[in-house]
Amino acid sequence: MSGRTLFDKLWDAHVVARAEGGRSLLWVDRHLVHEGSHHAFAKIGARGETLAQPELTFGVMDHYAPVRRDVPPMPAVLKMMERLADNAALHGFTCIAPEDQRHGIVHVMAPEQGLTLPGLLVVCGDSHTSTHGAFGAFAFGIGATEVAHVLATQTLWQQKPKRMRLRFDGALGPAVTAKDMALHWIAALGTGGARGHAIEYAGPAVEALSMEARMTLCNLSIEGGARCGMIAPDAQTLAYVKGRIHAPTGAAWAEAEADWAGLYSDTDAVFDTEVDIDAADVAPTVTWGTAPDQALPITATVPDPLAQPETTAAKTRDTLEYMGLKPGQALSEVTVDRIFIGSCTNARIEDLRAAAMVLHGRKSVVPGLVSPGSAQVKHQAEREGLDNVFTEAGLDWGGSGCSMCVGMNGDTVPAGQRCASTTNRNYRGRQGRGARTHLMSPSMVAAAAVTGRLTDVRMLLAGRA
Amino acid sequence: MRGWTELEGPVVRLPRDGIDTDQLIPARFMSTPRSEGYGDYLLHDLRRGPDGTLDPEFPLNASRGPILIAGADFGTGSSREAAVYALVDAGIRAVLAPSFGDIFAANAANNGLLTVALAEKTLAALRPVLRIDLVSRSIVSGPTSLRFDLDEVTAQKLINGWDDIDLTRAHQDAISAHRETIPAWVWPTCVRGGKGAPP
Ligand code: SF4
């Protein structure tokens, strides 16, 4: 028998029952819910169900949470938050409100609180749940019917995905980040490139990433079509987890450490798909289109439909029209109208430090919002004086929440405006009707703020990094 | 939810790739309770101008039918089940496309919406009115009939309008047994009702 991959081990440890047709019933260790989970609560309410394991269910008000103090929240937003608080009270699970010190975007908050651990199965009604895979957890997003199923049974039916290993060999160049690695591989493989797969990220360039950067890399797994993404836990993972409020202690910690030591892919394990990328080939990358795989190095030019086969040319033409770009135009000539630094992809303390390094002592020539990923990140940033760097540059310093990643709380980009954004989706209308989104790393967004154009951040870091 | 076995009706073609969940239903409509109906929000910003008026040329405005034929990567993106609600509430029961987002396809099966992945060429040849049969897994297009793949569980869910919770209850013993084997460290520390040790 050949060895097992990390993913096989996680899968096997959670199988409760197997059904015909290949589906397995899996046990869920952590279920994260938010205001957007209201459909699921309505469903179990209509069936008269109670929660199977309220102590494994954690709620946070992030999707609709207001992040600007100067803008009063819309009544619909308040109603959404109230609905979650009511459900938490009714069903007896922990629920974190925006004024709570533990508050944050669900995928930032849970690791901070020690809820995310290696070896766990984590689900949430948000597709970027893959973030938690950075700890060697099996974590994925689910729909409302599945959320209702987990609430009622603490289990979920799943078809086992295929296994993919995505290796980054060598080392990243200066100012190249996990965000660039993600956009790079998604552009190389396409939005469907990892469809039906569980990805394990591996190789020296992945091992060299901090925990926060690993979260960014795993966060974007879904944008390449993957079910989830993960990285085998190492000493760094354990150091991050140890001592956090909900992490195991004493004998339980010792037992956990012993169990986690087995969380790696055996040398003779077989993957269904293997992809190798040279980390040195990854450049600071930006998206130019309306899907995450429409990404290019900042030094490149906008694709020209005339140089493409007719099948793709029509799509490119349509995309360029929506984005207001000219074929063959240099990306570094594209002007932006505003910037956004935030979201579960890139709003942790290292992200804010990277952006502040570029913005320090400089002005942003466009308006923009910086929304820290959690209250803890906000607090830490203020201790380090990063908030002053942002406000002195002319940017707004807000609270934590999903904000302009999805625009549910009313923070949107006006139609026709172009936004340099650290978020994860550049779909049409994602940041507001007619909004034009360019995805990039926090330091690249900061560079765009300084020049008012998409900019190679490496030129602004001379003497700084 | 009511199940269905057979479906016959006109096809609406939406010849675009990458109709993602943000296009299927913009996020700003998702705080509405489902009971109010999501049909009007379907592809809202594509179907309507900035002033809210319907674009008479847009496929779903020009014609209606229970079967949608779309481009590749249909339903990629977020886990929002509201994307499926919008389709179902607009009367659509089947989407045929070259490929689908994974979470979307799972959500569809839970709401009586059939998704069938077929090659572009096959889709192009289909007639304007089709009959779909879940039992024989066939699509009848004029004189021709083609078979599609559909796993038994999904078929049963669509046919009976079943909910997985009902199916899962039959495994309650296995769930309880599994729960007992979970190591202590898995239970979060410092949570009311949790098994984890306090610090
Ligand atoms: S920031 Fe965006 S992607 Fe992340 S949890 Fe919020 S809505 Fe989802």
Side-chain angles (χ1 to χ4, degrees), chain A residues 62-63 105-107 126 128 343-345 401-402 405-406 424 430:
Chain A
D62 60 352
H63 276 62
I105 302 171
V106 59
H107 311 312
D126 180 282
H128 294 94
S343 88
C344 60
T345 308
C402 295
C405 173
V406 66
N424 42 56
R430 171 78 176 184

Side-chain angles (χ1 to χ4, degrees), chain A residues 117-164:
Chain A
L117 302 173
L120 296 186
L121 192 154
V122 182
V123 296
C124 173
D126 180 282
S127 50
H128 294 94
T129 306
S130 55
T131 309
H132 308 268
F135 292 81
F138 174 22
F140 53 98
I142 54 178
T145 301
E146 293 171 314
V147 170
H149 188 275
V150 178
L151 290 172
T153 68
Q154 202 60 30
T155 61
L156 196 60
W157 289 100
Q158 288 287 297
Q159 200 84 32
K160 190 174 178 184
K162 288 190 256 186
R163 298 144 305 178
M164 173 186 280

Side-chain angles (χ1 to χ4, degrees), chain A residues 147-317:
Chain A
V147 170
H149 188 275
V150 178
L151 290 172
T153 68
Q154 202 60 30
T155 61
L156 196 60
W157 289 100
Q158 288 287 297
Q159 200 84 32
K160 190 174 178 184
K162 288 190 256 186
R163 298 144 305 178
M164 173 186 280
R165 179 157 55 192
L166 195 52
R167 279 184 61 90
F168 282 91
D169 290 307
L172 293 174
V176 180
T177 69
K179 180 67 155 281
D180 302 302
M181 292 165 84
L183 293 176
H184 180 97
W185 81 256
I186 295 164
L189 268 63
T191 49
R195 181 172 296 125
H197 285 81
I199 302 176
E200 179 179 346
Y201 299 98
V206 172
E207 287 159 27
L209 295 176
S210 70
M211 285 314 294
E212 296 195 357
R214 292 179 192 186
M215 285 189 247
T216 302
L217 183 60
C218 289
N219 176 280
L220 289 154
S221 305
I222 180 87
E223 306 310 336
R227 196 77 186 93
C228 60
M230 59 189 62
I231 297 170
D234 57 14
Q236 213 195 142
T237 316
L238 268 64
Y240 180 102
V241 168
K242 196 167 189 173
R244 296 193 181 256
I245 176 94
H246 297 304
T249 55
W253 175 265
E255 193 192 347
E257 256 190 318
D259 285 356
W260 297 343
L263 293 179
Y264 58 85
S265 289
D266 297 331
T267 42
D268 57 342
V270 179
F271 288 82
D272 299 284
T273 312
E274 296 248 24
V275 178
D276 287 294
I277 292 172
D278 187 348
D281 291 342
V282 183
T285 303
V286 297
T287 62
W288 56 269
T290 55
D293 61 347
Q294 292 172 321
L296 285 166
I298 180 64
T299 48
T301 54
V302 171
D304 185 348
L306 289 177
Q308 294 179 332
E310 199 35 50
T311 41
T312 40
K315 191 177 163 194
T316 304
R317 229 173 270 129

